[in-house]
Amino acid sequence: MRLSLAPQGLALAIGAGLITAPTLAQQVPQQQVPPPAPVPAPVQAVPVPAPVQPIALPKLNATQAAQLTQMLADASFAQGLRHDGSAQPPIRDNDALVRAALDYARAVHSGRLDTSDFQENWGLRPQPYDPLPGFADAVKRDRIAQWIRALPPPYSGYDALQKGLQAYRKIEAAGGWPTIPAGPDMGLGATGARVATLRKRLAVEDSAVDPAGTKFDAPLQAAVQRAQRRYGLNPTGVVSTGTLAALNVPAGDRVRQIMANLERWRWLPATLPAKRIQVNIAAAVMTVFEGDEAIFSMKAVTGRPGNETPMLQSKIHSIVLNPPWNVPAGIAAKELFPKGEAYLKRNNYKIIGTGPNRRIQQQPGPSSALGRYKFDFNNPYAVYLHDTPSQTTFSRFSRLESHGCVRLEKPSELAQLLLRNDPEWQPPQIQAAIDAGKTLRVPLKDQDQVAVYLLYWTAYASANGTMNFRADPYGWDKTLASKIENRSAVTAAQR
C-alpha cells in the first residue's frame, strides 16, 4: 500500500540489609567494638559480546546476474538517478555487480547524495540504510526482483512523480516543445505566427489543445488558463512575460526538476506521521494532515531568495500568544537601525542594551511583525510559523517575501485546531488571552504536539496525474540535479 505523505524505561531496585552487633555480657569502659570487616562483593564476569561477523557479498548464479544487470540498467534511469539514457556497459564481475546493486539500493531508498553534498539549509537528511542484509536474503531466496521493487519511498506522491518523469523523458526524446518568440502579450482575439507556435507548445502537454491554427480563440484561452494553473501562475488567460517564461523552460530542464524532487522524497522517513503539518516552500502553501488526509490548507509567505526558508523536520511544541519579535542582528543592522530611533519608537520597537551588544525587540501588539500567534518548534535555523499584520501579500500568486520564517494566512484557525483537545484553551479562552495583550506561551500536550515539515516541492502530480511545476526561486533544483548526476558518476567509477 502506497502512503499519501515512547521509549520504555528500565527500573533497577537494589536492597540492603542492616547488620546488628550482638549484645555484650560485659562492657569494657572506653572499649569500642570494631565493625565487621566488609565482605567484598563477588566479581561478576561481564559477558563480552561476540564480534559481529560481516556479511560476505553474496554469489549470484548466472540467471540472477543477468536479471540484476537488466533491472539495474532500467531502474536507475527510471528512478531519475541519471539524466542520460544511453546504455550502460555490462558488469561482468560478481562483486562489482553486487556493489552496483547495493549502491543503487542506497540511492533509491535514502537518496543519491553523500553527506558532503548537502547545503546548509537542506536540513532534511535521510536515515542511514544498509542494504546488504536484505539483498543477501533476497539472493538466498531468489527474490531479487521483489527486493528491487520495494526499495523506493512508499508514497503515492513519489509514484506519481516517477510516472511524470517517464512522460517528460518521452517529450524530451521527441525533441521537446517549440520556443515561443518574445513579443507583445497574447490574449483573446490575437492572431499570427506566435499564436500558432503557442498552440503547438501547449498541445505537447495538453492533449485537449488543437495544435493547428493561428487564432487565439476561447478554447485556446481556456488552455492557457490550465497551463497557468499547472505552473502556479495567475490564470488570466493572457500570455504575458511570466507565462511566456514558464512555457519556454526546455523539456530537459523539466526532467531535471522532476529528478530533483524525486530525490527530496527519498530524504523523508519511511513512515510519515499521520498527524502533521507540511509547508511547500516553493508554492507558499501550508497543509494540515490527519490520518493521511489533508484536512486544512492555507496560503503562506515563505523566504525570498537570499533569505531562504530551510527544508527541515521538527515538531510544534507550543504556541506563543502576543509574541514579541526579537529582531535578528542582521535584520536590525541592515534594515532597522539605519531608520533611526524615531522610526523604531513609532513602530513599537525597543532597543535593549548598549554599544555593540545592543539589540532590537518589537513589543507585542497589532502592528508586531509576528502578529498575535507564533508556533514554535526546535530547529537550528531559528525559524517558526507565525501570524502577520500584513495581509496583502496573501493575495499574490508569488509569495516569497519573508526573511525565512513562514507567515500564515489563518493562524487563529491553526491555533484552535492544535488546542482543540485542551479544555483550558478553547476559542473563548484563546481570544481572551489575545485581547489581554500579554505574552503567554501555551505548551501543547504531548499527544497534541504535531510534526512539521518544511519541504521544497517544485514538481508534483495532481490527483489525475497531471504534472504541476513551480518556479525554482532558490535555484535548488538545478544544483540538486547536478549533484545527483555527479554523485552517480563517482559511484559508478568506484565499482
Side-chain angles (χ1 to χ4, degrees):
M1 177 180 178
R2 307 298 276 179
L3 302 177
S4 180
L5 252 0
Q8 295 180 347
L10 175 64
L12 178 63
I14 301 177
L18 296 177
I19 301 176
T20 303
T23 302
L24 296 179
Q26 297 178 344
Q27 296 288 339
V28 178
Q30 299 180 348
Q31 182 180 6
Q32 297 182 353
V33 179
V39 179
V43 178
Q44 295 183 352
V46 178
V48 178
V52 178
Q53 297 297 327
I55 300 175
L57 296 182
K59 297 298 181 183
L60 307 169
N61 61 40
T63 301
Q64 289 175 329
Q67 178 190 35
L68 185 58
T69 298
Q70 184 60 53
M71 284 191 296
L72 289 179
D74 296 338
S76 180
F77 184 65
Q79 298 292 338
L81 298 178
R82 53 190 177 88
H83 185 245
D84 180 13
S86 60
Q88 301 295 296
I91 303 174
R92 304 298 184 186
D93 177 70
N94 176 87
D95 288 0
L97 181 56
V98 170
R99 284 193 294 269
L102 298 176
D103 173 68
Y104 167 80
R106 281 186 290 266
V108 78
H109 183 80
S110 57
R112 171 77 286 177
L113 300 195
D114 184 75
T115 303
S116 61
D117 293 322
F118 281 84
Q119 296 184 179
E120 181 181 357
N121 44 16
W122 295 358
L124 284 176
R125 302 297 167 89
Q127 295 296 314
Y129 170 64
D130 181 6
L132 181 53
F135 179 67
D137 181 67
V139 173
K140 180 180 179 180
R141 296 190 296 132
D142 203 20
R143 294 178 60 84
I144 296 177
Q146 292 87 335
W147 178 79
I148 288 278
R149 287 196 295 269
L151 290 171
Y155 302 116
S156 58
Y158 183 92
D159 295 342
L161 202 55
Q162 187 187 1
K163 292 178 181 177
L165 177 66
Q166 296 172 0
Y168 279 78
R169 284 195 190 281
K170 290 180 180 178
I171 292 174
E172 182 186 18
W177 43 62
T179 299
I180 304 169
D185 292 354
M186 289 184 285
L188 197 61
T191 59
R194 291 180 70 238
V195 175
T197 305
L198 172 65
R199 283 186 170 276
K200 294 175 182 177
R201 164 63 185 90
L202 292 174
V204 176
E205 290 182 293
D206 189 343
S207 60
V209 177
D210 182 357
T214 60
K215 185 176 180 181
F216 198 120
D217 53 17
L220 184 60
Q221 182 186 51
V224 168
Q225 290 174 318
R226 290 195 296 272
Q228 289 169 329
R229 292 188 183 96
R230 290 197 305 273
Y231 290 107
L233 303 171
N234 189 1
T236 60
V238 175
V239 179
S240 54
T241 304
T243 302
L244 192 68
L247 293 175
N248 281 342
V249 172
D253 285 1
R254 294 302 184 196
V255 169
R256 289 184 173 87
Q257 193 170 2
I258 296 173
M259 289 172 58
N261 283 268
L262 283 168
E263 175 73 2
R264 293 186 190 111
W265 274 103
R266 301 177 194 123
W267 299 347
L268 294 176
T271 303
L272 284 174
K275 185 178 179 181
R276 67 186 185 276
I277 289 173
Q278 289 182 192
V279 175
N280 184 343
I281 300 168
V285 173
M286 190 218 76
T287 305
V288 180
F289 289 84
E290 283 192 3
D292 265 340
E293 295 294 331
I295 64 167
F296 183 42
S297 185
M298 70 178 75
K299 296 176 183 177
V301 175
T302 50
R304 65 177 69 94
N307 297 115
E308 292 85 356
T309 298
M311 290 183 280
L312 61 83
Q313 168 189 350
S314 188
K315 182 178 287 188
I316 295 178
H317 55 72
S318 58
I319 302 172
V320 182
L321 306 179
N322 297 312
W325 181 33
N326 294 303
V327 182
I331 299 175
K334 294 178 182 178
E335 301 181 23
L336 294 180
F337 277 125
K339 294 182 178 181
E341 292 189 13
Y343 171 87
L344 296 177
K345 184 176 181 179
R346 189 167 61 250
N347 288 276
N348 208 22
Y349 289 101
K350 179 181 179 181
I351 299 176
I352 301 175
T354 59
N357 295 323
R358 65 177 183 164
R359 60 187 180 88
I360 296 177
Q361 182 186 77
Q362 189 178 34
Q363 302 305 293
S367 62
S368 169
L370 302 189
R372 299 294 195 173
Y373 301 88
K374 176 187 174 189
F375 302 84
D376 269 345
F377 47 90
N378 298 331
N379 68 91
Y381 305 98
V383 297
Y384 37 83
L385 312 183
H386 68 89
D387 184 15
T388 175
S390 176
Q391 297 293 308
T392 57
T393 312
F394 294 114
S395 63
R396 304 174 190 167
F397 277 82
S398 176
R399 297 188 297 277
L400 281 77
E401 294 290 340
S402 81
H403 288 93
C405 289
V406 179
R407 305 175 195 164
L408 300 178
E409 180 187 25
K410 303 173 183 178
S412 62
E413 286 90 334
L414 179 60
Q416 292 175 22
L417 180 65
L418 297 183
L419 293 169
R420 62 184 173 178
N421 297 323
D422 191 334
E424 297 181 4
W425 288 103
Q426 294 303 295
Q429 288 86 354
I430 297 174
Q431 190 58 52
I434 291 292
D435 293 341
K438 293 183 178 180
T439 300
L440 184 64
R441 180 178 294 276
V442 182
L444 297 178
K445 297 183 183 300
D446 289 347
Q447 64 270 23
D448 293 329
Q449 294 185 13
V450 60
V452 59
Y453 291 83
L454 306 188
L455 307 169
Y456 190 75
W457 297 135
T458 59
Y460 55 90
S462 56
N464 63 2
T466 301
M467 281 301 304
N468 292 262
F469 296 97
R470 295 296 180 265
D472 178 20
Y474 301 164
W476 287 353
D477 284 345
K478 291 182 179 180
T479 300
L480 180 52
S482 176
K483 288 178 179 289
I484 292 169
E485 293 187 85
N486 291 342
R487 184 58 59 183
S488 293
V490 168
T491 55
Q494 291 175 343
R495 290 172 194 154

